[in-house]
Amino acid sequence: MTLKLDDKYIWDFWHYAEGDAQHLFMLQADRAIGDPDLRHWNVSIGHAVSRDLRNWDYRGTVFQPSAGPAWDDFTTWTGSVIHAEGRYHLFYTGTCRAENGLRQRIGHATADTIDGPWTRVGDGLALDLDERFYEEHAEGRWHDRALRDPWMLPERIDGMYHMFFTARRNDGPKYERGVIGHAVSPDLVHWEATAPVYEGGHYGQLEVPQVFARDGQWFCTFCNVRDHWSEAQRAALDGGVSGTHYLVADHPLGPWRPAEGFLDGDVPCRRYAGKILHDPVTGRDCLMAFLDAGPDGRFVGQISDPIPLRFEDGRYRLDEVLAPE
């Protein structure tokens, strides 16, 4: 069964495995809002648990915007969860009402157990924009300030923790500025932005990154819509698609490059914000994504069952034999 809530839209999600428990944290909004495009501005974070990535126990709302006024009193969007320094850490995206949600920042909360409760570290703010490396919002540049979707590595590299996030660089054509941003910390509390690990040149933005290693190679999944592709990328793939693809590198700090083709895309967008996970049932890697446009063109707002993947010669492909229709 897909992960479906009768009274809520659900979309972007992140995963944490502990023992044989598979935890998903997801963005959610009440279906009572009517228009699903309003979900981004009526959002909270939910939690569900499974043993097999197919049958889910929904645990309810676990995090939401600050009561305000605060830097995150409007939205709490996509993030990631790790266990380090003896605690669980939630990193998330926040925006505020005073800025009409146009400027994104990255927040931090902790808990003693994976089930919470989650408490903001100080006022919650972990990382703000550094204009030395990343584009600030201004009229005519882009529709918002892109500084969101933090993905954390749970172990230090060279004595530092590493955060990857969606951002845009300061120069270049509009649809080539999308980068994977990078920040470092010695303790998960004090963060410093650095230059992006993927310097762009192909897309206007790369949303919801997920960084992981397989067989000595590093992968960074991302999602985007074809309207945000560069002209060269659209030309190379017959006009482009919307969905989930990935970058490859020999080291998590890059250099990164887009893999050939596109992993899971369609027009209109069928699935979005995919993650590559280990399927406890098959023992293989799989893709999970939220269901976007249904056959009638309307937003679905559910999370898919695991979709089988083939991993050959360092490249992922959907397993067309086993993948569901």
Side-chain angles (χ1 to χ4, degrees), residues 72-113:
D72 60 351
D73 64 8
F74 199 1
T75 68
T76 46
W77 289 331
T78 310
S80 59
V81 167
I82 63 170
H83 185 267
E85 306 290 334
R87 306 200 77 191
Y88 294 88
H89 299 261
L90 165 66
F91 289 87
Y92 64 95
T93 308
T95 70
C96 66
R97 295 182 181 277
E99 296 172 339
N100 295 317
L102 291 174
R103 288 179 170 83
Q104 300 155 10
R105 297 171 177 87
I106 292 173
H108 181 199
T110 60
D112 292 326
T113 74

Side-chain angles (χ1 to χ4, degrees), residues 9-77:
Y9 298 112
I10 52 178
W11 64 105
D12 291 9
F13 63 93
W14 51 103
H15 170 264
Y16 181 83
E18 186 169 67
D20 61 356
Q22 310 288 323
H23 297 265
L24 282 194
F25 297 87
M26 73 208 81
L27 302 190
Q28 58 181 23
D30 291 341
R31 288 181 178 267
I33 62 175
D35 182 355
D37 289 343
L38 298 176
R39 68 188 187 276
H40 304 289
W41 312 108
N42 294 273
V43 65
S44 60
I45 295 174
H47 180 204
V49 183
S50 174
R51 302 290 177 184
D52 60 6
L53 297 178
R54 292 161 176 83
N55 299 284
W56 294 95
D57 174 20
Y58 176 65
R59 300 288 179 83
T61 300
V62 294
F63 201 74
Q64 55 194 344
S66 294
W71 69 272
D72 60 351
D73 64 8
F74 199 1
T75 68
T76 46
W77 289 331

Side-chain angles (χ1 to χ4, degrees), residues 153-175:
L153 294 184
E155 298 178 351
R156 291 184 175 93
I157 298 174
D158 297 331
M160 303 293 277
Y161 289 104
H162 294 263
M163 177 195 293
F164 305 90
F165 52 89
T166 295
R168 284 171 52 83
R169 72 187 194 203
N170 283 319
D171 62 343
K174 181 176 183 178
Y175 294 108

Side-chain angles (χ1 to χ4, degrees), residues 180 203 205-210 220-224 243-247 258-259 262 273-274:
I180 299 296
Y203 307 101
Q205 61 180 1
L206 295 87
E207 300 191 276
V208 195
Q210 169 206 17
C220 176
T221 64
F222 67 89
C223 54
N224 58 22
T244 299
H245 193 40
Y246 61 94
L247 310 173
F262 203 83

Side-chain angles (χ1 to χ4, degrees), residues 127-137 141 145-147 165-170 177 179-183 193-198:
L127 185 70
D128 210 336
L129 189 86
D130 190 326
E131 291 189 65
R132 293 177 301 168
F133 308 113
Y134 303 109
E135 179 187 86
E136 177 58 277
H137 174 68
R141 284 185 186 167
R145 175 217 266 187
L147 179 67
F165 52 89
T166 295
R168 284 171 52 83
R169 72 187 194 203
N170 283 319
R177 291 191 177 199
V179 301
I180 299 296
H182 181 233
T194 72
V197 294
Y198 164 67

Side-chain angles (χ1 to χ4, degrees), residues 1 4 6 16 62 95 103 107 112 124 130 132 136 139 144 184 187 193 195 255-256 262 316 322 324:
M1 300 177 59
K4 174 185 177 181
D6 291 338
Y16 181 83
V62 294
T95 70
R103 288 179 170 83
D112 292 326
D130 190 326
R132 293 177 301 168
E136 177 58 277
E139 191 69 30
D144 58 20
V184 296
D187 56 10
W256 291 88
F262 203 83
Y316 281 104
L322 299 176

